[in-house]
Amino acid sequence: SKKIEEGQEYIRQAEKSLKTSLLKWRPDYEVAADEYNKAATAFRIAKAYDQCKDCFQKAADCHKQGRSWFHAAKCYEQIILILKETNNLIQIEEYANRACKLYQQHGSPESAASALDKAAKCMEGAHPDVALRLYQHAMEVVMIEDSTRQAAEYASKVSRIMVKLGMYDQAADAIRREIGLNQQTESYQAIGRLAVALVLVQLGRGDYVAAEKAFKEWGNCCDVQEVQTLEMLLQAYDDEDPETAQRALASPFIRHMDVEYSKLARDLPLPKGVSTAPKATVIENATASYKSPNAGNPSPSAGEAPSAAPAAPDDDDYEEGGLR
């Protein structure tokens, strides 16, 4: 097509500018990079993606030869877009890390983190494990520059992907780190929500004690509704009361948390429950004989002697509501 021919002509011009002669001792990397960029654009319009990617790679190489780190990184970001368009996601991490390194060499940590962030978004759906690594890298990059607020944003993404992947031990540590970053920026409302998230994650780990500890430590940052819900939830787990736990987990603000946490709340194993009899009627070490709940006779007091043997339940007991 016309665009293919146009791209090939740009390549010829680029190659020409890289040649040396008696009067031209050094390759003109800047001109070559510009021609390769033009060629890449032409191939992209023609949907010749392999040739497009190759030209962006050559443009990046020329920029690096000219120590133009920023423009080389931009070329790598263009390659990432091509990989996304062609659904060739497996190479995205490599080019994102290359772009990040070049941006850092140029002294642009924000651009470095942004490149990783954009690449991670491409990977989050199909390869959340790769997205996790990219977000962690982005957080490290901005932490070097003491950009605490931005680090908290990346920390949030790290925590949520860990929950999505069922990495609850690591997620608990990540949320605590996120809380620490929000403390530095005095984002107390965010800390309140993270306290709820941490309680849910600890319950997901099956560690009720750690969940209670998280609430005691950070509950003072929660709003009234969050406090009431967490108190109800933790009490339900302490009492082995699945119905109350389910009501607490169905709280509107939990359902409207980030999707990873709302799914975690939905899938949390509920407490198994204990005897349905009220606690007040349970007599410790009681040895009284069994009495059908449908029988009219009052239960013997704790001081009375037990019958010789418990009576076997008859069919009516099951039909009228089951054994107690």
Side-chain angles (χ1 to χ4, degrees):
S1 74
K2 185 179 177 182
K3 282 293 176 184
I4 296 284
E5 291 173 10
E6 190 179 313
Q8 288 169 343
E9 177 57 31
Y10 286 132
I11 289 174
R12 282 192 287 272
Q13 293 299 321
E15 289 171 346
K16 183 179 176 182
S17 64
L18 290 173
K19 288 178 181 176
T20 56
S21 65
L22 286 172
L23 300 176
K24 182 188 171 190
W25 295 358
R26 290 174 59 83
D28 195 333
Y29 291 114
E30 189 176 342
V31 171
D34 189 47
E35 295 296 331
Y36 278 128
N37 266 315
K38 290 177 184 175
T41 302
F43 287 133
R44 189 175 196 168
I45 293 168
K47 299 191 185 301
Y49 293 118
D50 286 342
Q51 289 163 285
C52 173
K53 176 175 173 283
D54 188 50
C55 285
F56 276 129
Q57 178 66 64
K58 287 178 178 176
D61 291 341
C62 289
H63 283 308
K64 285 194 286 184
Q65 287 290 340
R67 303 181 70 80
S68 182
W69 313 124
F70 186 88
H71 290 100
K74 282 289 182 190
C75 290
Y76 285 141
E77 286 205 82
Q78 289 298 318
I79 290 174
I80 290 171
L81 293 177
I82 296 299
L83 293 170
K84 183 185 175 185
E85 281 183 49
T86 56
N87 203 32
N88 188 7
L89 303 179
I90 204 69
Q91 288 183 291
I92 285 180
E93 183 180 17
E94 175 192 344
Y95 283 100
N97 286 327
R98 286 188 193 180
C100 171
K101 187 176 180 180
L102 289 170
Y103 279 131
Q104 285 180 298
Q105 280 182 257
H106 181 260
S108 301
E110 297 86 2
S111 297
S114 176
L116 295 167
D117 182 46
K118 285 184 278 189
K121 285 174 183 171
C122 297
M123 304 298 285
E124 208 166 321
H127 301 282
D129 54 324
V130 177
L132 174 60
R133 289 198 296 269
L134 290 167
Y135 284 134
Q136 286 173 322
H137 191 177
M139 184 170 68
E140 290 165 7
V141 168
V142 295
M143 286 289 285
I144 294 169
E145 302 299 315
D146 290 329
S147 182
T148 309
R149 194 173 296 277
Q150 201 174 1
E153 290 176 17
Y154 291 129
S156 173
K157 294 176 180 181
V158 167
S159 303
R160 287 189 281 109
I161 291 183
M162 284 178 170
V163 170
K164 181 179 180 178
L165 293 172
M167 300 165 62
Y168 297 139
D169 289 352
Q170 296 94 321
D173 292 336
I175 292 171
R176 278 192 286 266
R177 185 175 187 181
E178 193 181 343
I179 287 173
L181 291 167
N182 278 286
Q183 277 184 301
Q184 292 179 45
T185 58
E186 299 183 353
S187 305
Y188 297 115
Q189 188 175 4
I191 294 173
R193 279 300 168 101
L194 288 170
V196 179
L198 186 54
V199 168
L200 293 175
V201 168
Q202 298 292 20
L203 291 175
R205 292 178 61 238
D207 192 340
Y208 166 77
V209 174
E212 191 174 37
K213 183 181 176 184
F215 176 57
K216 286 178 179 176
E217 190 171 0
W218 304 110
N220 60 326
C221 295
C222 297
D223 63 27
V224 174
Q225 186 187 18
E226 290 167 345
V227 169
Q228 290 173 344
T229 303
L230 288 180
E231 283 177 343
M232 183 196 299
L233 179 63
L234 291 169
Q235 190 63 50
Y237 272 84
D238 191 37
D239 294 343
E240 295 282 320
D241 182 349
E243 288 81 9
T244 303
Q246 197 157 28
R247 278 203 309 276
L249 291 169
S251 169
F253 85 84
I254 287 182
R255 287 206 310 269
H256 292 99
M257 289 177 74
D258 289 320
V259 64
E260 292 82 5
Y261 296 123
S262 60
K263 282 184 178 178
L264 171 62
R266 182 193 67 193
D267 298 335
L268 269 183
L270 296 172
K272 294 177 182 177
V274 291
S275 170
T276 55
K279 283 190 170 183
T281 63
V282 177
I283 303 170
E284 193 172 353
N285 300 322
T287 56
S289 62
Y290 171 81
K291 288 286 185 180
S292 168
N294 300 308
N297 298 327
S299 299
S301 65
E304 290 177 2
S307 302
D314 59 28
D315 292 339
D316 290 337
D317 293 331
Y318 289 98
E319 293 172 2
E320 291 295 323
L323 293 176
R324 294 182 183 268

